[in-house]
Amino acid sequence: MKKILHIISSPRGAASFSIKLGNAIIEKLKAEYPGSTVKETDLVNQHFPHLEEAHLTSFFTPAESRTPENIIAVKHSDDAIQDILDADIIVIGAPMYNFTIHSALKAWLDHIVRAGVTFKYDENGAEGLIKGKKVYIAETTGAIYTEGPMQPFDFIEPYLKTILSHIGLTDITIFRIEGTAIPGIQDTAVEKGISSIILN
Ligand SMILES: Cc1cc2nc3c(=O)[nH]c(=O)nc-3n(C[C@H](O)[C@H](O)[C@H](O)COP(=O)(O)O)c2cc1C
């Protein structure tokens, strides 16, 4: 039995390919680990806030000195980090918007990457402080990035691998539905992506 956190960052609801792919990953996880529970966080519909001065002020104010306003401001970040700490497995839906992740997912990342909380610097450099979690990324793209001329322009995979590893989430597997905008490929893209899911 595992605790699964499903992060959604597509605004497309029932039509979303990344939600479909994320759900397919979760179905396989539930089959592998009966009794698993899922917490779903929809960053777009929940209007996860972009990082503003109030958040930063609160991050850099020691907990015991925070004002009531600081405490409200830091809650998005604290709750999002707690969700990660509570989970064994994190499934992140990552639709491609303009060659990278949706800004709602970037906002969430900006709130969970916190000096002294999820990573620290010491004489050896940066160390991620979240240990022992598995991450699956459900990446969906209109074009194809695993081969061919567009390959250098997938900024999602290198970015997510870098930022998640920075906070200690180093065990990352990416599954994709790609070519959803390409005639001749789009008809089989979903089936191909879902059948590529092999848990590790
Ligand atoms: C505003 C917008 C920007 C997009 N930008 C790209 C892009 O840069 N590259 C790409 O391959 N597909 C792009 N797409 C296509 C989406 O990545 C594709 O539809 C994907 O399935 C979206 O995932 P979702 O269905 O979960 O929302 C874009 C789609 C929209 C609506």
Side-chain angles (χ1 to χ4, degrees):
M1 185 204 137
K2 302 281 184 189
K3 286 186 178 172
I4 303 167
L5 175 64
H6 187 191
I7 299 295
I8 289 170
S9 66
S10 169
R12 298 196 328 116
S16 162
F17 294 120
S18 59
I19 296 175
K20 274 193 185 75
L21 186 58
N23 283 336
I25 295 167
I26 289 167
E27 285 315 306
K28 292 229 168 165
L29 287 167
K30 282 175 160 174
E32 181 82 12
Y33 306 107
S36 291
T37 57
V38 182
K39 173 164 186 177
E40 207 174 77
T41 299
D42 182 335
L43 301 173
V44 178
N45 285 315
Q46 200 179 294
H47 299 291
F48 200 88
H50 284 83
L51 209 50
E52 293 175 358
E53 188 186 2
H55 305 121
L56 288 174
T57 303
S58 192
F59 291 174
F60 295 106
T61 303
E64 62 277 10
S65 309
R66 285 190 186 129
T67 63
E69 290 76 22
N70 293 156
I71 291 166
I72 291 168
V74 84
K75 192 168 162 32
H76 302 283
S77 170
D78 283 350
D79 289 352
I81 291 169
Q82 193 59 51
D83 283 348
I84 294 172
L85 294 175
D86 288 345
D88 303 301
I89 301 173
I90 302 145
V91 176
I92 301 176
M96 180 177 283
Y97 286 92
N98 302 318
F99 297 106
T100 187
I101 54 173
H102 188 282
S103 59
L105 182 55
K106 176 64 164 59
W108 180 78
L109 289 164
D110 286 340
H111 282 258
I112 63 166
V113 179
R114 258 173 74 190
V117 180
T118 55
F119 75 95
K120 67 173 184 182
Y121 283 109
D122 59 22
E123 56 282 358
N124 301 315
E127 184 192 347
L129 299 176
I130 302 179
K131 314 275 186 194
K133 314 281 179 191
K134 174 73 203 173
V135 178
Y136 291 101
I137 292 170
E139 179 174 343
T140 55
T141 57
I144 289 181
Y145 296 89
T146 52
E147 58 182 14
M150 298 299 283
Q151 217 170 1
F153 306 116
D154 171 19
F155 297 102
I156 291 181
E157 177 170 340
Y159 175 62
L160 286 183
K161 281 187 169 169
T162 303
I163 196 68
L164 294 170
S165 297
H166 182 63
I167 58 172
L169 297 169
T170 53
D171 187 355
I172 301 167
T173 302
I174 300 190
F175 297 115
R176 294 167 183 261
I177 290 175
E178 55 177 354
T180 60
I182 301 178
I185 290 177
Q186 60 194 174
D187 301 340
T188 53
V190 174
E191 192 189 320
K192 194 175 166 200
I194 287 176
S195 61
S196 76
I197 301 168
I198 296 168
L199 300 180
N200 58 346

